[in-house]
Amino acid sequence: MKRIHSILVAFALLAFACSLASAFDPSPLQDFCVAIKDNKDGVFVNGKFCKDPKLAVADDFFFSGLNKPGNTSNLVGSNVTTVNVDQIPGLNTLDISLVRIDYAPYGGLNPPHTHPRGTEILLVVEGTLYVGFVTSNPDNRLFTKVLYPGDVFVFPIGLIHFQFNIGKTKAVAFAGLSSQNPGVITIANAVFGSNPPINPDVLAKAFQLDKTVIKYLQSRFWSD
């Protein structure tokens, strides 16, 4: 009787462990789970409703247009063309996405930012980029590199990173990210352009700047 009891306990513990493992398993449990906006007949998986796999079509896994340059006529001189689950619904649950980044000649910048849900691997196909990322506190160590066509650089998940065109011509890079929707937090926009604005006293103390400077920076980034 004790032996049977021990076996039952062992099975119970095994089942419990398996249930915990499956709860945190990021792998899809079917071939694909094409995202849909209409939840009438869908199943909610990983932030999206999924259509019946039998109704999936090739266009659910397709995007066209990454051959077209982005418009870099803006204050930072760069443009990011995103291809994530919102552009390709078939990416849902597949933990991957792609971007094309265009940089204006000397000075085109993809400003310091983070991806809270994905690591990024960047491939330069045209131009010369100065890139880098900063490690977390307390070290705040800066890793930088100058990249040329064919060079690849990795930005670890969640860390602040940037790319800056130091060449005299335009630059183009493609990046893969380890999430169907990695998210992006552009540091300056988030800090000085939050809605509603962060109390200037908070930022003045955090950045050790005069409050008038903080208010000026907020005026550059925030609009109601």
Side-chain angles (χ1 to χ4, degrees), residues 5-218:
H5 178 72
S6 298
I7 292 174
L8 290 175
V9 170
F11 272 109
L13 289 173
L14 179 62
F16 179 68
C18 291
S19 68
L20 288 177
S22 63
F24 293 96
D25 185 359
S27 301
L29 301 179
Q30 56 195 55
D31 289 343
F32 48 79
C33 192
V34 176
I36 54 173
K37 294 181 180 180
D38 183 5
N39 63 3
K40 186 165 51 179
D41 298 314
V43 177
F44 194 71
V45 179
N46 200 23
K48 299 286 184 179
F49 285 92
C50 302
K51 68 162 63 174
D52 185 334
K54 295 178 182 178
L55 302 178
V57 295
D59 280 345
D60 291 329
F61 306 91
F62 174 77
F63 177 87
S64 180
L66 280 190
N67 60 315
K68 300 175 183 177
N71 183 7
T72 59
S73 299
N74 50 57
L75 292 176
V76 294
S78 70
N79 183 278
V80 179
T81 303
T82 302
V83 185
N84 60 27
V85 68
D86 292 325
Q87 286 74 42
I88 302 182
L91 283 177
N92 190 41
T93 75
L94 299 185
D95 299 329
I96 194 170
S97 57
L98 179 70
V99 298
R100 170 183 172 140
I101 313 170
D102 292 273
Y103 311 83
Y106 192 82
L109 171 69
N110 192 11
H113 62 281
T114 73
H115 301 294
R117 296 182 294 276
T119 291
E120 176 179 347
I121 183 167
L122 182 88
L123 167 66
V124 178
V125 298
E126 185 177 345
T128 306
L129 294 178
Y130 168 70
V131 307
F133 68 85
V134 180
T135 64
S136 56
N137 297 347
D139 293 338
N140 301 128
R141 186 178 175 191
L142 174 64
F143 290 80
T144 63
K145 193 78 176 175
V146 174
L147 305 183
Y148 303 93
D151 289 345
V152 174
F153 199 79
V154 172
F155 305 105
I157 183 172
L159 297 186
I160 295 173
H161 60 283
F162 61 87
Q163 302 106 37
F164 184 69
N165 184 3
I166 59 174
K168 295 181 180 179
T169 61
K170 69 176 184 177
V172 180
F174 290 86
L177 297 111
S178 61
S179 171
Q180 66 181 42
N181 187 11
V184 60
I185 302 172
T186 305
I187 306 304
N189 296 58
V191 172
F192 299 110
S194 66
N195 186 14
I198 298 174
N199 187 319
D201 290 327
V202 173
L203 299 181
K205 191 161 189 176
F207 287 92
Q208 297 296 292
L209 294 172
D210 188 274
K211 192 160 68 171
T212 57
V213 177
I214 296 297
K215 288 184 175 180
Y216 170 75
L217 290 171
Q218 288 180 318

